[in-house]
Amino acid sequence: MNRISLLVAREFRERVHKKSFIITTILTPLLMIALMVAPSLIMLGGKSNTKKVAVLDRTEGKTIMQSLQSGATVVFEEAAVSPDDLSAARAAYGSDSWYGILVIGSDIVDNTSSLQLIINDSPVMSVDEAIQNQVQDAIRQARLARYDIEDMDRILSDANVRISSIQTLKNSTADDESMEETSSDISFALGIILGMMLYFILIVYGSQVLSSVIEEKQSRVLDVMVTSCTPTELMLGKIFGIALVAALQIVIWAVLILSVSAFVMPALMSGSTMTAGAGSADIFSHLTSVSFMSGLFLELFLYIVGGFLFYAAMYAAVGSAVDNPQDAGQFNLIIMMPIILAIMVMMNIMNNPDSGIVFWCSMIPFTSPVVMMARIPFGVPVWQVAVSIAVLFISFFLMAWIAGRIFRVGVFMHGKKPTWKDLGAWIRMK
């Protein structure tokens, strides 16, 4: 254990002191925040200015024009020419200061195809949609007016009901008042974020183990190091050292995100919860709860450590068996296939987080780190999480034993591209 601890310290110091570690540790949370804010900024930056539209209403009494209402997106103005004189309208409103000319046919109420929009520049989807909705509402009002029903506007306004959201409670307590509110949308978003975090960590840090072993094997550093320790000790030291680097980075990110949840998020959400209602406030309270986020990061930490150790053992075995990254390609593809499968299952969790395939993929160690972390925000029984974590760590010890038997032979092999048959023979070799 003393030799393993020395190897762990060597790997840890070598990576933590690198500028790349410091830069990624600081930039990754900022990048995540930027990715969340970017869509809003893009929408604000791409927001179109108010467009002016001249209207040629050919209906009797110009009923459609009277129903059109100007807004922030489009301003309607009745054309100061004869509704039938399209040429005069084009000459008068063909400048860049006008978005275009809306021509409303005389039979628009019965024939909705007699509607034209002649634009002076490139089409703007939001403006076209606003015009379409306004004309559509005006035609609906004109058709309803034919029935001559008294107080029709009030009746329609009273009957027009829209449910924007439904309060969803988790039936997990005996007390009616203490049921927790949940949301499939927020659970899915959290699950996707956590699952993708695990995916990238397994890929990035797993590949670091692979490249580190290959580099030291190519430079014959491993040949020197095995004179002072066994190949298995060398492999475990490298795996645990890089695992500590990943764990340190996750802890730093967790502290930053928990600080944001405790101090920044409540201030940002205070304005929105006043207008969103009590239900939304209860849902977002989970995101601003330090205890909830701490529990989430604890589970994330366990799956990151367990998943990384499990996959790092395979990457270390492959790295010891080959002489260059190109030869590792055939083995690396096999290692990545379960992770890709986990991503595919994760994307379908929202449809049924408790389906059979999701349950078993959250228990099998090859896919459980990604799939289970995506399931946890939906509410998973504690025993399932406990069993999944226990199976994951037990599987790591089994995989480490297999990888160790490959590592002890592969580290001395040079100039030969191994096959799957060779790896099997190395595992059985006494």
Side-chain angles (χ1 to χ4, degrees), residues 170 348-360 362 372 375-376 378-381 384:
K170 189 74 172 181
N348 292 283
I349 283 180
M350 187 175 186
N351 295 328
N352 189 357
D354 296 320
S355 65
I357 187 171
V358 171
F359 170 80
W360 286 111
S362 63
M372 182 58 87
R375 281 187 66 200
I376 284 175
F378 288 90
V380 179
Q384 291 188 17

Side-chain angles (χ1 to χ4, degrees), residues 25-333:
T25 302
I26 296 174
L27 289 184
T28 300
L30 296 178
L31 181 61
M32 292 176 63
I33 294 173
L35 289 174
M36 290 186 289
V37 175
S40 299
L41 295 178
I42 292 173
M43 290 181 65
L44 289 174
K47 190 175 181 180
S48 60
N49 298 326
T50 303
K51 302 295 185 180
K52 293 171 60 179
V53 175
V55 181
L56 292 178
D57 189 354
R58 296 170 177 173
T59 60
E60 184 177 354
K62 300 182 180 180
T63 55
I64 303 299
M65 176 61 204
Q66 294 175 8
S67 299
L68 299 180
Q69 297 181 352
S70 300
T73 304
V74 58
V75 173
F76 297 101
E77 289 190 18
E78 184 178 356
V81 297
S82 171
D84 298 323
D85 194 349
L86 181 59
S87 299
R90 291 177 59 191
Y93 304 102
S95 63
D96 294 338
S97 59
W98 291 86
Y99 178 70
I101 305 168
L102 180 64
V103 182
I104 302 174
S106 58
D107 59 344
I108 186 68
V109 177
D110 298 310
N111 181 19
T112 55
S113 62
S114 62
L115 182 70
Q116 292 180 331
L117 178 62
I118 303 171
I119 60 175
N120 299 319
D121 205 344
S122 301
V124 180
M125 183 179 296
S126 59
V127 176
D128 293 351
E129 184 178 358
I131 294 173
Q132 180 178 329
N133 291 336
Q134 288 257 19
V135 175
Q136 183 175 280
D137 291 341
I139 294 173
R140 183 184 297 110
Q141 291 292 334
R143 289 185 177 183
L144 289 172
R146 294 173 175 175
Y147 295 94
D148 194 22
I149 300 176
E150 185 179 356
D151 210 4
M152 174 65 76
D153 291 338
R154 185 189 64 80
I155 295 173
L156 291 176
S157 176
D158 184 62
N160 187 18
V161 178
R162 181 178 180 272
I163 300 177
S164 58
S165 63
I166 182 171
Q167 187 181 27
T168 308
L169 302 174
K170 189 74 172 181
N171 187 17
S172 56
T173 60
D175 188 1
D176 294 344
E177 302 298 327
S178 61
M179 290 187 295
E180 291 186 358
E181 186 164 3
T182 183
S183 169
S184 59
D185 293 336
I186 293 178
S187 298
F188 182 67
L190 274 176
I192 289 293
I193 292 172
L194 295 173
M196 292 305 295
M197 283 181 64
L198 264 163
Y199 169 76
F200 284 115
I201 287 171
L202 292 179
I203 294 296
V204 171
Y205 285 101
S207 61
Q208 284 189 19
V209 174
L210 176 65
S211 60
S212 176
V213 174
I214 292 177
E215 288 174 5
E216 294 185 357
K217 183 180 178 181
Q218 286 178 329
S219 61
R220 301 302 174 100
V221 172
L222 294 181
D223 294 353
V224 177
M225 295 181 68
V226 294
T227 61
S228 302
C229 60
T230 66
T232 301
E233 291 172 343
L234 180 60
M235 182 193 73
L236 292 176
K238 189 173 291 292
I239 291 174
F240 289 137
I242 298 178
L244 275 180
V245 176
L248 175 63
Q249 207 162 44
I250 294 301
V251 169
I252 295 174
W253 293 344
V255 171
L256 292 175
I257 294 177
L258 289 176
S259 300
V260 172
S261 297
F263 302 108
V264 180
M265 284 290 288
L268 294 176
M269 297 306 303
S270 60
S272 61
T273 53
M274 293 179 64
T275 58
S280 297
D282 291 339
I283 293 173
F284 283 107
S285 67
H286 290 298
L287 302 179
T288 59
S289 170
V290 175
S291 60
F292 173 77
M293 296 298 291
S294 299
L296 207 59
F297 270 107
L298 175 60
E299 292 167 323
L300 178 65
F301 182 83
L302 292 174
Y303 276 106
I304 283 175
V305 172
F308 170 78
L309 293 177
F310 181 75
Y311 275 95
M314 290 187 281
Y315 277 116
V318 170
S320 68
V322 299
D323 286 330
N324 54 71
Q326 291 75 23
D327 291 343
Q330 60 172 328
F331 302 107
N332 193 29
L333 179 61

Side-chain angles (χ1 to χ4, degrees), residues 331-404:
F331 302 107
N332 193 29
L333 179 61
I334 300 299
I335 295 175
M336 290 185 61
M337 285 180 63
I339 304 179
I340 296 173
L341 174 63
I343 293 295
M344 295 172 62
V345 174
M346 180 186 69
M347 294 299 179
N348 292 283
I349 283 180
M350 187 175 186
N351 295 328
N352 189 357
D354 296 320
S355 65
I357 187 171
V358 171
F359 170 80
W360 286 111
C361 285
S362 63
M363 293 296 170
I364 299 172
F366 289 94
T367 56
S368 63
V370 173
V371 176
M372 182 58 87
M373 279 312 304
R375 281 187 66 200
I376 284 175
F378 288 90
V380 179
V382 176
W383 71 267
Q384 291 188 17
V385 178
V387 170
S388 177
I389 293 175
V391 171
L392 180 61
F393 278 91
I394 292 172
S395 300
F396 157 66
F397 289 109
L398 177 61
M399 186 60 67
W401 178 83
I402 296 173

